[in-house]
Amino acid sequence: GYYYRVNRKGSITDVNNNLKKLTREINDRVTLDTVKYEYLSKNYEQLTDEIKNWYFDELIGLYIEKFNYLYEMPDSANVFNEFRRTILNFTRDNSVKNASFKDKAKLQIIKNSLLGRIYYMYKKKVGSFN
């Protein structure tokens, strides 16, 4: 016979594994997008603004996509703070002047740490964030 042990959601081992997985997912995506960005910037200089805007959009999209994990795993705060700094450092060093209004609004939300409040209000009103 076989005995299969399944980790319960929210158990100590599950939380640690999920935090490692989340950290790895974010770091892998940022690394992959950074490699793409550097390659495109080097080889397609005539598209500099479009490439910056694409990279900026990828970073912001990933941050928002993974943000709900911050509330599911409170230990993930350091991961998100580091990721937030990556986005802010990029925008500080690079002009994203041609970014859409929507992306500029997202940046302001991230800059001012409003995403947590918006998420909390939405979750409170709707009940779950799917």
Side-chain angles (χ1 to χ4, degrees):
Y2 293 93
Y3 175 75
Y4 292 98
R5 186 172 154 227
V6 179
N7 288 335
R8 291 184 336 261
K9 186 174 182 173
S11 73
I12 292 172
T13 55
D14 186 45
V15 169
N16 289 334
N17 288 334
N18 285 339
L19 183 58
K20 287 178 187 176
K21 182 179 175 187
L22 174 67
T23 303
R24 189 173 50 249
E25 284 178 16
I26 290 173
N27 290 338
D28 288 351
R29 285 263 309 267
V30 169
T31 300
L32 179 63
D33 287 341
T34 301
V35 168
K36 287 180 190 176
Y37 169 73
E38 289 170 353
Y39 173 81
L40 292 171
S41 296
K42 182 179 177 184
N43 294 298
Y44 298 94
E45 292 177 14
Q46 70 276 18
L47 299 174
T48 301
D49 287 341
E50 289 84 357
I51 294 166
K52 285 179 185 177
N53 290 336
W54 165 81
Y55 184 64
F56 171 69
D57 190 47
E58 289 294 309
L59 291 176
I60 296 240
L62 178 60
Y63 186 89
I64 291 171
E65 174 188 327
K66 300 293 183 186
F67 189 80
N68 62 322
Y69 288 103
L70 183 60
Y71 287 92
E72 292 175 9
M73 294 182 283
D75 293 343
S76 67
N78 290 335
V79 174
F80 280 92
N81 286 335
E82 183 65 31
F83 188 23
R84 183 173 172 268
R85 278 192 293 278
T86 299
I87 295 170
L88 297 178
N89 287 339
F90 175 76
T91 58
R92 186 174 17 262
D93 297 339
N94 297 281
S95 170
V96 286
K97 60 186 170 199
N98 294 331
S100 68
F101 176 77
K102 187 177 177 180
D103 285 341
K104 288 179 182 178
K106 290 176 188 176
L107 176 63
Q108 287 304 315
I109 288 170
I110 290 172
K111 272 185 179 178
N112 296 312
S113 300
L114 297 174
L115 194 56
R117 289 184 221 145
I118 292 169
Y119 175 83
Y120 176 76
M121 289 186 302
Y122 181 81
K123 190 169 182 168
K124 186 176 178 181
K125 183 174 183 178
V126 175
S128 70
F129 197 57
N130 296 329

